[in-house]
Each structure stands twice: as C-alpha cells, then as structure tokens.
Amino acid sequence: MSALPAPLGTIERGLHWIAGLFALLGGLALGVLGAVTGVSVFWRYVLNDPIFGIEDVSTMALTVVVAGAVAYGAVHQSHVSVNVIKYAGGRELTRVTDLAARLGGIAICSFAAYGLLTKGSCGLPCGAMTSNLGIIHTPFYYGLAAAMGFYAALLALHLVIGLLHWSGADPNETLD
Amino acid sequence: MDTTTIAILGFAALFLLLFIRMPVGTAMMLVGAGGIYAIRPQASLPVVAGEIFSEASNYPLTILPLFILMGNLAGVSGMSRDLYTAAHSWLGHMRGGLASATIVGCAGFSALSGSSLAAAVTMGRVSLPEMQRYRYDNGLATGAIAAGGTLGILIPPSAGFVVYAILTEESVGRLFMAGVLPGLMLTGLFILAIWLVVLRDPSKAPQSAEAEPMEARIAALGRASWIVGIILLTIGGIYTGAFSAVEAAGIGALLALGVTILRGQLTWPNLRDVVTNTLKSTGTVFLILFGAFVFKTFVGFTGVTYALTQWVGAQGFTAMQVVVAILLAFIVLGTFLEGFAILVLTIPLVQPILQSLGVDLIWFGVLMVIVLEMALISPPVGINVFVVKGIAREVPLGTIFRGIWPFWFAMLAAVILVLLIPDLALLLPDTMFG
C-alpha cells in the first residue's frame, strides 16, 4: 500500500480489508467446492448412490469462489492487460491512457454490478433458481454484483491516486 | 449505422482499449456492452448480467479453481521439487541434462496444473540455481524454463483447453485427451532442441552433474511417485472414462491436499498462499471469460461472422489453407497480444468459418494452444519470459529472449507435425470417445 493523504489512505485500507473478506469467503467456498466434488465422487463410485442435485451446490459455490477471486485479484492487479504501450511512450503518455482505461473500467464494472443487482433481484418470479434443488440465484447475483462494484470502487481510488501522482510515478501503474 | 460497421468499430475500439492497458476482460466487456447497446439497446444490461452469472455458475468451469488448487498444493507439498529431483537424477549427468530435466519437470508439473506461469515459476525456482551452479549459459537455462512452462497449457489439465472448450462448446475431456500426445511430443522436441544447441556449442552446458547410482535414481523416482500417482489417477481416470474432468479435478485436489497434510506442509502460511494464489489465478481467467462471452454475444449480434463465412466460401479456399492462414495470424498476434487474449478475441470470429469448412475443432484447438504457447515466449510481450526474468533478475531480458528461439522453433515443428498428422491430436480422444 502506498503512503496517501488520510482520507485516501483510509479508503485504501478499507478496500484491502474488504478484499480480504472476499478472499476469506472465496477460500471457504473453494473448500466447499473441493469437498462437494470429492463427496459426490465417493457416493457415485464407492456407494453407487449419486447424490441428487449436488451439482447445484457446486455451481453456487463456484459463484462465490469467482466473486471472491475477481475482487481479490483486482487488489493484487491479477487481471491481465497487455503492456505494449511502454514501448510507445513514457509516463507522459501512460498517465493519460491510464486515466482513460480506469474511467472505462469504472463504467463497465459499475454497469455490470447494476445489471447483476437488477437481474438478480427478480429471483423466484423470474425462475432464477437452480434446476434440481431450487436454490434461489438472488444472493449469488448479489455476491457477483458486490465483486464488480468493489472492482469499480478500487479503480476509482486508483484513478484519484493516479491524478494525485500526475507528475510522478503512479504506485498502481500496470507492471510486467 | 449498419452492423458490419459497428463490428469493425468494435474491434478497433477493443484494440485501442487493450493498447491503453485496460485489462482484457473489462475491455471486452466494455466493447461488447457498448456494441450490443448500439444494435439493440434494451439487450445490453441483461446480456452483461446474464453472461457474468452464466459463466460464474457454469458447472464445467469448476475444473479451473480445482486444478489450480491442485497445482498450488503440489508446489507447497514439495511434490514439484520431487519431480525435478527425479528428472535431475536420471538426466542430470547427460550433456545439457539439467535443462532437459527442467523440461521434464515442467511437463510433469503441467500434468498437475493448468497454468503455464505456475509451471515456469515453480520449476524455475528449483532448477535455475542448479543450472547456474553447473555454469549453464543463462540463455539456455532461462529459455528452457520459459519454454518448459508453456507446456502447462498443452498438457492436461490445461486452462487454455478449458476456456477453448467453453467458447466453442466442445468437450473438455476430449480436448484434455487431445493434448496428451502433442504435449509429450513437444517435451521430446524441447529436449531435442537442447541437445542440438549443446551439440553446436558445448560451452552452453560446460558441466554435467555426477551420474547417480541406480539405487539413488530409483529412490528419487520413488519420492516422485506421489505426484506421478496423482497424475495417473486424474488423467488416467478421464481417459478410461472412470471420472469426468470435473470429478478428476476434485479428486486430484483432494489427493494433493492429502499429500500436503501427510508431509506436514499444511501450515497456516502455506494454506493462505495456496488459497490466495488459487483465487488470483481463478479471478484472472473468469474476468476474461466474462468479457469474452459479452463480446462473443456482440459479435453474434453484428452477423459479421456470417458475412466472413460467406466470403471465405466464395473464395474457394480449402480448409487447410484457412487453418494455416489463421495460425500464421495467431503467430503474428502472439508477438504483441497475451495468449488468452488471442484465444477469447478470435474464437468468436474464426469458429463459424472453421465449422463451415468442416474443420475438426478438437484438432484446431490443439494447434491453437501450441501457437498460444509460442505467444507466451514471443518478444516483446511473452509473459513467461517476464516471469522467468522475475526469478533470474541478474539475467538481461535480451539474453532470455535469445535463449527461447530454439524452443520457439521446436513449437513451430510441433505445429507442422500436428497439421500434417492430425492423429497426433485425435488418436486418444477418438480411441476414448469413438
């Protein structure tokens, strides 16, 4: 984490704390996913008694893993970008292009979060549930919306930090 | 504005966004959402939300986090080191043997992890100090690690195959099986490349390790039996039809966890590293998939693939000519685009053309993945090269890029062989699935 003015530093610490929470939930869901897969194989092949609807549990656990992974990956800059612009220009160019890229990122992540909230809120009346166990999709839509919203918030913070470091090195610049 | 113009503008916008370092996933999602809005405004929001949820809850994609978890557990449990030690024990005394052992180690690790980066980092940390101790040329040593790591996306389980399968709606199991023989062949070609380099210039590998007695070799092989057993069970289980690919991933991850516990390596710091690394890699792939599917829907809305298919048909090109042209285009794209980006960007365009020409998409998937491997080490953006640079900080980037060329040509040879002999890719899946 970079040394930032008090309000931004607090926001950055807060976002890292939330990312840790996403990682915790994602990690727990990862454990559930592994255990459920193992249990289903054991029941199917050893006990010869497939568990009805266990795929529903797996797929919903996967959404939690993915939400945690996308949010946690964002904090650690794991989302792949193509860094060829460094061959075209220095910081004078990248401070402008990074600003544009972050604005675009904020727009689409906010749009996706809003879309997930809207679509997810419909729930049962829209038939949004798993096919076997009837698990309602709504909370999982909300989890993904939270991840995308988190990513948008992080990009907004990086945008402000980038503006504050306009004349110097940006601590959140994409590196190889 | 007609839909073809919107498609062209969409692709131009996408390349611009990628150029300004917008992450691949968000760039594709932005262009896809914007493009859909331009064609059918009311569809944009539901498509974005629907595609994100569909991919995040796509059952076959549970393979990804589970296989990534298995690879990370293999790293912390010491199984990957055992593999390198065994390869070192059997090959280290030969000329260029340490580089060959690195390739074999990477191939073995690739059979446990779908990530080329993980293979390069894990084996690089173990093998580079050893090669430097025996005064191997830095270019050969780092080139072997960077190239060996690329086997991660060819030898099953492969994240590249999973993403390709989801995009093309092909069977993950068939693709995994199709990657086995080409993966082994490429491993052999890499070793041949090392042998030729050292034959031409013996100073590149001036010393060899002492030949170990047979008991020591067998003991090393015995220590590697855990990892070999897990590989045989998971890949063999898929081949024999005992497990689905998802089940194999779950069993593999649980077995790797069991070995980690048995070896007393499931400490809190290790567990935290394994989980966070798995989440980071999973997040990387899924964000790209979100963007890819929104973009694919946009491309579908434009109807540009239909126009392209008609055009290709009207020119009277043969399937082979089209496949070769596409692969050449991928090789060029690979010099400035990341492998996954090429995969998700181009599949929506080329798939309908290939299908109209009757090209086997399993065979093409193998060819494509080998070409993507070439992208992973092609200058100037070969991501594996930068990963190896992270391990070998004192080695100049130029030296690493010079060192990868023999391996790059080995990959080209593999592409040509699979092009000429499709059975190299299709034999195992056809034997298994009919």
Side-chain angles (χ1 to χ4, degrees):
Chain A
M1 273 185 267
S2 48
L4 294 168
L8 288 179
T10 308
I11 293 170
E12 191 178 46
R13 279 191 298 278
L15 288 177
H16 275 79
W17 186 84
I18 295 170
L21 203 59
F22 270 111
L24 181 65
L25 289 172
L28 289 173
L30 185 64
V32 170
L33 190 60
V36 161
T37 313
V39 165
S40 89
V41 171
F42 184 79
W43 250 255
R44 180 191 296 274
Y45 295 106
V46 181
L47 304 181
N48 207 19
D49 182 20
I51 302 172
F52 174 75
I54 198 149
E55 281 188 14
D56 288 5
V57 180
S58 290
T59 51
M60 291 304 104
L62 180 64
T63 61
V64 181
V65 173
V66 172
V70 168
Y72 189 72
V75 163
H76 292 273
Q77 300 208 340
S78 304
H79 298 311
V80 175
S81 55
V82 182
N83 196 3
V84 286
I85 201 169
K86 65 180 178 183
Y87 299 105
R91 175 79 182 127
E92 292 74 22
L93 176 65
T94 57
R95 65 188 176 190
V96 179
T97 56
D98 281 354
L99 180 73
R102 283 167 182 157
L103 280 172
I106 293 165
I108 191 59
C109 290
S110 307
F111 184 72
Y114 174 68
L116 285 159
L117 281 176
T118 311
K119 199 168 161 64
S121 64
C122 184
L124 197 57
C126 298
M129 58 183 175
T130 61
S131 53
N132 295 314
L133 298 181
I135 303 169
I136 307 288
H137 286 163
T138 302
F140 303 98
Y141 266 102
Y142 288 171
L144 289 164
M148 296 307 289
F150 173 84
Y151 193 11
L154 186 74
L155 286 170
L157 176 71
H158 287 178
L159 185 139
V160 175
I161 293 171
L163 288 172
L164 287 175
H165 290 80
W166 191 256
S167 306
D170 183 344
N172 298 302
E173 192 170 355
T174 303
L175 300 170
D176 290 317
Chain B
M1 201 186 301
D2 70 290
T3 53
T4 307
T5 311
I6 292 174
I8 293 166
L9 288 176
F11 273 94
L14 182 57
F15 277 99
L16 180 68
L17 291 176
L18 292 177
F19 178 73
I20 65 168
R21 297 197 291 198
M22 194 165 180
V24 176
T26 47
M28 295 183 88
M29 215 187 300
L30 181 60
V31 173
I36 294 168
Y37 187 84
I39 297 166
R40 208 177 297 167
Q42 70 280 15
S44 191
L45 195 70
V47 165
V48 171
E51 291 298 345
I52 289 176
F53 188 79
S54 298
E55 296 322 306
S57 59
N58 189 340
Y59 182 66
L61 284 176
T62 51
I63 287 175
L64 281 173
L66 292 175
F67 271 132
I68 295 169
L69 176 68
M70 182 169 84
N72 285 328
L73 285 167
V76 299
S77 67
M79 283 192 283
S80 49
R81 178 177 281 276
D82 290 344
L83 198 64
Y84 176 74
T85 308
H88 178 289
S89 182
W90 285 84
L91 302 171
H93 62 284
M94 296 174 185
R95 182 143 285 197
L98 294 178
S100 300
T102 303
I103 297 292
V104 173
C106 283
F109 187 76
S110 299
L112 216 64
S113 160
S115 160
S116 59
L117 298 186
V121 170
T122 309
M123 280 301 146
R125 284 195 185 130
V126 183
S127 64
L128 187 66
E130 197 68 0
M131 286 192 275
Q132 288 178 330
R133 188 155 73 91
Y134 285 94
R135 300 183 189 286
Y136 270 49
D137 173 72
N138 276 329
L140 177 65
T142 52
I145 298 165
T150 67
L151 291 167
I153 61 164
L154 180 61
I155 294 177
S158 147
F161 278 143
V162 175
V163 172
Y164 178 87
I166 297 296
L167 284 167
T168 57
E169 296 174 18
E170 288 291 333
S171 150
V172 176
R174 276 187 83 95
L175 278 158
F176 275 7
M177 284 304 113
V180 173
L181 289 182
L184 293 174
M185 179 184 73
L186 190 54
T187 305
L189 287 171
F190 281 164
I191 292 172
L192 180 67
I194 292 165
W195 185 77
L196 289 172
V197 165
V198 179
L199 185 73
R200 189 169 156 264
D201 183 0
S203 70
K204 299 231 177 211
Q207 297 176 18
S208 302
E210 290 286 313
E212 292 185 17
M214 189 52 75
E215 305 86 73
R217 292 185 198 186
I218 289 170
L221 204 56
R223 280 192 298 277
S225 59
W226 284 107
I227 190 166
V228 175
I230 294 176
I231 292 166
L232 288 179
L233 191 74
T234 50
I235 307 301
I238 297 172
Y239 178 73
T240 56
F243 303 136
S244 70
V246 173
E247 290 169 341
I251 292 295
L254 286 177
L255 287 174
L257 179 67
V259 175
T260 311
I261 293 169
L262 275 177
R263 292 183 165 190
Q265 295 299 320
L266 198 68
T267 58
W268 173 244
N270 278 350
L271 183 64
R272 199 179 49 199
D273 279 356
V274 163
V275 171
T276 54
N277 286 332
T278 303
L279 289 177
K280 281 191 269 184
S281 303
T282 304
T284 304
V285 179
F286 271 90
L287 189 71
I288 291 177
L289 278 172
F290 295 164
F293 274 87
V294 174
F295 188 75
K296 192 180 174 187
T297 308
F298 158 60
V299 172
F301 274 26
T302 64
V304 73
T305 49
Y306 177 73
L308 264 175
T309 308
Q310 295 291 100
W311 181 81
V312 170
Q315 307 309 308
F317 295 132
T318 65
M320 185 58 100
Q321 285 170 332
V322 172
V323 167
V324 170
I326 291 172
L327 292 176
L328 285 173
F330 287 169
I331 290 173
V332 174
L333 282 175
T335 60
F336 61 93
L337 270 183
E338 198 268 337
F340 267 118
I342 301 173
L343 181 66
V344 296
L345 269 172
T346 57
I347 283 296
L349 271 186
V350 303
Q351 185 191 356
I353 299 172
L354 295 170
Q355 280 175 322
S356 72
L357 293 167
V359 173
D360 187 315
L361 286 181
I362 298 286
W363 172 64
F364 182 77
V366 172
L367 287 166
M368 181 164 192
V369 164
I370 302 175
V371 172
L372 297 187
E373 285 185 285
M374 293 164 85
L376 286 171
I377 56 171
S378 293
V381 297
I383 197 161
N384 265 28
V385 172
F386 289 99
V387 166
V388 173
K389 171 72 181 158
I391 303 167
R393 294 192 183 278
E394 73 289 357
V395 182
L397 209 51
T399 306
I400 307 177
F401 272 123
R402 275 194 296 280
I404 58 98
W405 284 116
F407 303 101
W408 194 91
F409 282 107
M411 289 172 175
L412 189 63
V415 170
I416 293 168
L417 283 169
V418 177
L419 261 176
L420 296 177
I421 315 166
D423 268 354
L424 282 171
L426 298 177
L427 182 69
L428 284 186
D430 285 351
T431 316
M432 178 192 164
F433 296 97

